[in-house]
Amino acid sequence: MPRIRNDPNLNICPDYASEVFANIRAQLVNENTTEAQAMQLLRNIWEVNNDAIKVLWQQQVDEDRERQQQHQRIDEDERERLEQVRIEEEEAARKEERKKNKYKFIPILETGIPDEPAITPCSYALKKLDKGEYVELWYFTNDGLDEASIKKTIDDDAMILSTLADGSTAWVSSASTRSARSVINDENLPFEEFCQACPRFLTAI
Protein backbone atom coordinates (compact mmCIF):
# COMPACT_ATOMS: atom_id res chain seq x y z
CA MET A 1 0.00 0.00 0.00
CA PRO A 2 1.37 3.46 -0.88
CA ARG A 3 2.45 5.62 2.02
CA ILE A 4 0.02 8.25 3.23
CA ARG A 5 1.80 11.58 2.92
CA ASN A 6 -0.51 13.82 4.94
CA ASP A 7 -2.13 13.42 8.34
CA PRO A 8 -5.86 12.84 7.64
CA ASN A 9 -6.67 14.26 11.08
CA LEU A 10 -5.84 17.66 9.61
CA ASN A 11 -8.12 17.28 6.60
CA ILE A 12 -11.12 19.61 6.28
CA CYS A 13 -14.33 18.48 4.69
CA PRO A 14 -14.95 20.26 1.37
CA ASP A 15 -17.80 22.74 1.05
CA TYR A 16 -20.23 20.67 -0.97
CA ALA A 17 -22.62 23.64 -1.12
CA SER A 18 -20.19 25.54 -3.33
CA GLU A 19 -20.57 25.92 -7.07
CA VAL A 20 -17.64 23.55 -7.64
CA PHE A 21 -19.78 20.58 -6.55
CA ALA A 22 -22.99 21.71 -8.32
CA ASN A 23 -22.72 18.99 -10.96
CA ILE A 24 -22.25 16.25 -8.35
CA ARG A 25 -25.20 17.54 -6.32
CA ALA A 26 -27.36 17.58 -9.42
CA GLN A 27 -26.62 13.91 -10.08
CA LEU A 28 -27.81 12.99 -6.59
CA VAL A 29 -30.96 15.12 -6.50
CA ASN A 30 -34.17 13.31 -7.46
CA GLU A 31 -37.78 13.06 -6.34
CA ASN A 32 -36.66 11.30 -3.15
CA THR A 33 -33.51 13.35 -2.43
CA THR A 34 -33.33 17.08 -2.00
CA GLU A 35 -30.23 19.17 -2.70
CA ALA A 36 -29.62 19.57 1.05
CA GLN A 37 -29.79 15.81 1.47
CA ALA A 38 -27.36 15.38 -1.42
CA MET A 39 -24.85 17.73 0.24
CA GLN A 40 -25.17 15.84 3.55
CA LEU A 41 -24.71 12.55 1.71
CA LEU A 42 -21.49 13.86 0.16
CA ARG A 43 -20.23 15.00 3.56
CA ASN A 44 -21.05 11.60 5.06
CA ILE A 45 -19.19 9.80 2.29
CA TRP A 46 -16.17 12.07 2.75
CA GLU A 47 -16.11 11.52 6.54
CA VAL A 48 -16.35 7.73 6.20
CA ASN A 49 -13.51 7.72 3.69
CA ASN A 50 -11.40 10.08 5.83
CA ASP A 51 -11.99 7.95 8.95
CA ALA A 52 -10.73 4.90 7.06
CA ILE A 53 -7.64 6.83 6.04
CA LYS A 54 -7.14 7.86 9.70
CA VAL A 55 -7.00 4.20 10.71
CA LEU A 56 -4.41 3.47 8.02
CA TRP A 57 -2.48 6.58 9.04
CA GLN A 58 -2.31 5.46 12.67
CA GLN A 59 -1.09 2.02 11.60
CA GLN A 60 1.58 3.70 9.50
CA VAL A 61 2.61 5.93 12.43
CA ASP A 62 2.85 2.92 14.76
CA GLU A 63 4.90 0.95 12.25
CA ASP A 64 7.24 3.89 11.69
CA ARG A 65 7.69 4.33 15.44
CA GLU A 66 8.43 0.64 15.93
CA ARG A 67 10.88 0.67 13.03
CA GLN A 68 12.62 3.75 14.41
CA GLN A 69 12.86 2.24 17.90
CA GLN A 70 14.29 -0.94 16.43
CA HIS A 71 16.91 1.04 14.53
CA GLN A 72 17.74 2.97 17.70
CA ARG A 73 18.17 -0.29 19.62
CA ILE A 74 20.43 -1.65 16.89
CA ASP A 75 22.47 1.57 16.85
CA GLU A 76 22.71 1.58 20.64
CA ASP A 77 23.79 -2.07 20.70
CA GLU A 78 26.44 -1.28 18.10
CA ARG A 79 27.68 1.72 20.08
CA GLU A 80 27.90 -0.41 23.22
CA ARG A 81 29.75 -3.11 21.30
CA LEU A 82 32.23 -0.60 19.90
CA GLU A 83 32.68 0.96 23.35
CA GLN A 84 33.34 -2.47 24.85
CA VAL A 85 35.86 -3.21 22.10
CA ARG A 86 37.57 0.12 22.81
CA ILE A 87 37.72 -0.61 26.55
CA GLU A 88 39.12 -4.09 25.96
CA GLU A 89 41.73 -2.76 23.52
CA GLU A 90 42.80 -0.05 25.97
CA GLU A 91 42.99 -2.57 28.81
CA ALA A 92 45.05 -4.92 26.64
CA ALA A 93 47.35 -2.03 25.74
CA ARG A 94 47.75 -1.11 29.42
CA LYS A 95 48.55 -4.71 30.32
CA GLU A 96 51.12 -4.87 27.53
CA GLU A 97 52.61 -1.57 28.69
CA ARG A 98 52.80 -2.82 32.28
CA LYS A 99 54.40 -6.04 31.05
CA LYS A 100 57.04 -4.17 29.04
CA ASN A 101 57.70 -1.54 31.70
CA LYS A 102 56.83 -3.30 34.94
CA TYR A 103 59.16 -1.13 37.00
CA LYS A 104 57.39 1.98 35.77
CA PHE A 105 54.16 0.83 37.42
CA ILE A 106 55.55 -0.27 40.78
CA PRO A 107 53.41 1.52 43.39
CA ILE A 108 55.19 4.14 45.45
CA LEU A 109 54.73 3.54 49.14
CA GLU A 110 53.43 6.49 51.11
CA THR A 111 56.40 6.82 53.42
CA GLY A 112 57.83 10.01 54.74
CA ILE A 113 61.34 11.31 54.32
CA PRO A 114 63.69 9.49 56.72
CA ASP A 115 64.55 11.75 59.64
CA GLU A 116 67.05 9.40 61.25
CA PRO A 117 70.66 8.92 60.16
CA ALA A 118 71.49 5.69 58.38
CA ILE A 119 72.90 2.95 60.61
CA THR A 120 76.17 1.78 59.04
CA PRO A 121 78.22 -0.70 61.05
CA CYS A 122 81.80 -1.48 60.11
CA SER A 123 82.63 -3.39 56.94
CA TYR A 124 83.72 -6.41 58.96
CA ALA A 125 80.24 -6.77 60.50
CA LEU A 126 78.50 -6.21 57.16
CA LYS A 127 80.61 -8.86 55.45
CA LYS A 128 79.78 -11.31 58.23
CA LEU A 129 76.08 -10.56 57.79
CA ASP A 130 76.32 -11.05 54.03
CA LYS A 131 77.84 -14.48 54.62
CA GLY A 132 75.16 -15.33 57.18
CA GLU A 133 77.75 -15.67 59.94
CA TYR A 134 77.47 -14.75 63.59
CA VAL A 135 78.11 -11.08 64.40
CA GLU A 136 78.37 -9.62 67.90
CA LEU A 137 75.67 -7.11 68.76
CA TRP A 138 78.37 -4.74 70.00
CA TYR A 139 78.98 -3.63 66.40
CA PHE A 140 75.48 -2.11 66.46
CA THR A 141 75.86 -0.23 69.72
CA ASN A 142 76.79 3.45 69.86
CA ASP A 143 80.42 2.54 70.59
CA GLY A 144 80.52 0.08 67.70
CA LEU A 145 79.04 2.59 65.26
CA ASP A 146 81.41 5.30 66.49
CA GLU A 147 84.38 3.06 65.85
CA ALA A 148 83.04 2.19 62.40
CA SER A 149 82.71 5.91 61.66
CA ILE A 150 86.32 6.52 62.68
CA LYS A 151 87.61 3.61 60.62
CA LYS A 152 85.81 4.80 57.48
CA THR A 153 88.91 6.84 56.74
CA ILE A 154 90.78 3.57 56.15
CA ASP A 155 90.29 1.93 52.76
CA ASP A 156 88.45 -1.38 53.17
CA ASP A 157 90.68 -2.90 50.49
CA ALA A 158 93.88 -1.83 52.23
CA MET A 159 96.06 -4.78 53.23
CA ILE A 160 97.27 -5.01 56.80
CA LEU A 161 99.42 -7.54 58.62
CA SER A 162 97.27 -9.64 60.96
CA THR A 163 98.00 -12.45 63.42
CA LEU A 164 95.93 -15.53 62.66
CA ALA A 165 94.45 -17.97 65.18
CA ASP A 166 97.38 -20.39 64.82
CA GLY A 167 99.88 -17.66 65.67
CA SER A 168 101.06 -17.11 62.12
CA THR A 169 100.82 -13.77 60.38
CA ALA A 170 99.32 -12.90 57.02
CA TRP A 171 98.31 -9.92 54.93
CA VAL A 172 94.52 -9.46 55.00
CA SER A 173 92.14 -6.68 53.99
CA SER A 174 91.30 -4.17 56.68
CA ALA A 175 87.57 -4.88 56.17
CA SER A 176 88.05 -8.47 57.34
CA THR A 177 89.65 -7.53 60.65
CA ARG A 178 88.28 -6.20 63.89
CA SER A 179 89.57 -4.70 67.08
CA ALA A 180 89.34 -7.51 69.61
CA ARG A 181 90.03 -5.09 72.44
CA SER A 182 86.80 -3.12 71.84
CA VAL A 183 84.30 -5.85 71.02
CA ILE A 184 82.10 -7.04 73.90
CA ASN A 185 80.55 -10.48 73.70
CA ASP A 186 76.76 -10.59 73.67
CA GLU A 187 76.49 -12.18 77.10
CA ASN A 188 78.57 -9.36 78.61
CA LEU A 189 76.80 -6.55 76.78
CA PRO A 190 75.09 -4.09 79.17
CA PHE A 191 71.31 -4.07 78.93
CA GLU A 192 71.23 -0.46 77.76
CA GLU A 193 73.59 -1.20 74.87
CA PHE A 194 71.66 -4.39 74.13
CA CYS A 195 68.53 -2.26 73.67
CA GLN A 196 70.48 0.04 71.36
CA ALA A 197 71.85 -2.77 69.23
CA CYS A 198 68.84 -5.05 68.71
CA PRO A 199 66.69 -2.72 66.55
CA ARG A 200 69.71 -1.73 64.48
CA PHE A 201 70.73 -5.34 64.01
CA LEU A 202 67.22 -6.28 62.84
CA THR A 203 67.23 -3.37 60.39
CA ALA A 204 70.62 -4.39 59.02
CA ILE A 205 69.58 -7.97 58.31
Side-chain angles (χ1 to χ4, degrees), residues 97-110:
E97 177 69 13
R98 285 194 293 267
K99 186 185 298 182
K100 291 181 179 179
N101 304 284
K102 59 181 180 180
Y103 296 110
K104 176 181 177 182
F105 296 94
I106 294 177
I108 300 175
L109 299 178
E110 295 183 1

Side-chain angles (χ1 to χ4, degrees), residues 162-170:
S162 176
T163 302
L164 303 181
D166 59 1
S168 61
T169 58

Side-chain angles (χ1 to χ4, degrees), residues 7-201:
D7 185 354
N9 294 287
L10 304 178
N11 291 343
I12 299 176
C13 182
D15 182 9
Y16 289 109
S18 65
E19 189 63 25
V20 176
F21 297 100
N23 185 40
I24 297 177
R25 291 197 305 270
Q27 296 179 38
L28 296 175
V29 173
N30 54 49
E31 58 184 13
N32 297 319
T33 305
T34 64
E35 187 174 7
Q37 290 175 330
M39 288 187 292
Q40 185 60 46
L41 178 61
L42 290 172
R43 283 193 290 268
N44 292 343
I45 294 173
W46 182 90
E47 289 177 356
V48 169
N49 183 62
N50 194 62
D51 288 343
I53 297 175
K54 287 180 181 180
V55 173
L56 297 176
W57 169 263
Q58 188 59 46
Q59 291 177 353
Q60 179 177 287
V61 169
D62 293 341
E63 290 173 357
D64 289 347
R65 182 185 301 111
E66 177 62 27
R67 189 179 301 108
Q68 182 179 7
Q69 291 175 349
Q70 184 177 3
H71 288 164
Q72 289 176 345
R73 287 193 295 269
I74 293 174
D75 291 342
E76 185 175 348
D77 291 343
E78 180 64 12
R79 284 194 298 270
E80 291 179 355
R81 186 189 68 81
L82 293 176
E83 178 66 13
Q84 185 63 32
V85 169
R86 183 188 65 80
I87 293 174
E88 291 175 356
E89 289 177 348
E90 289 181 354
E91 180 62 23
R94 282 194 294 269
K95 288 182 179 179
E96 185 65 22
E97 177 69 13
R98 285 194 293 267
K99 186 185 298 182
K100 291 181 179 179
N101 304 284
K102 59 181 180 180
Y103 296 110
K104 176 181 177 182
F105 296 94
I106 294 177
I108 300 175
L109 299 178
E110 295 183 1
T111 56
I113 299 175
D115 55 3
E116 296 182 357
I119 304 302
T120 308
C122 67
S123 299
Y124 168 79
L126 291 177
K127 288 182 180 296
K128 297 277 282 185
L129 286 177
D130 289 340
K131 295 178 181 179
E133 298 178 356
Y134 169 75
V135 181
E136 290 84 352
L137 289 175
W138 176 86
Y139 288 101
F140 298 90
T141 64
N142 291 343
D143 291 340
L145 295 177
D146 288 343
E147 182 170 320
S149 177
I150 294 172
K151 289 188 175 181
K152 281 182 180 178
T153 57
I154 302 175
D155 187 356
D156 288 343
D157 294 328
M159 303 301 291
I160 61 175
L161 190 62
S162 176
T163 302
L164 303 181
D166 59 1
S168 61
T169 58
W171 290 98
V172 296
S173 66
S174 63
S176 64
T177 64
R178 60 173 179 165
S179 175
R181 294 176 302 171
S182 303
V183 177
I184 300 175
N185 292 330
D186 291 349
E187 61 270 18
N188 298 324
L189 198 65
F191 182 73
E192 180 181 354
E193 294 186 355
F194 178 83
C195 293
Q196 294 172 359
C198 282
R200 296 167 180 171
F201 175 78

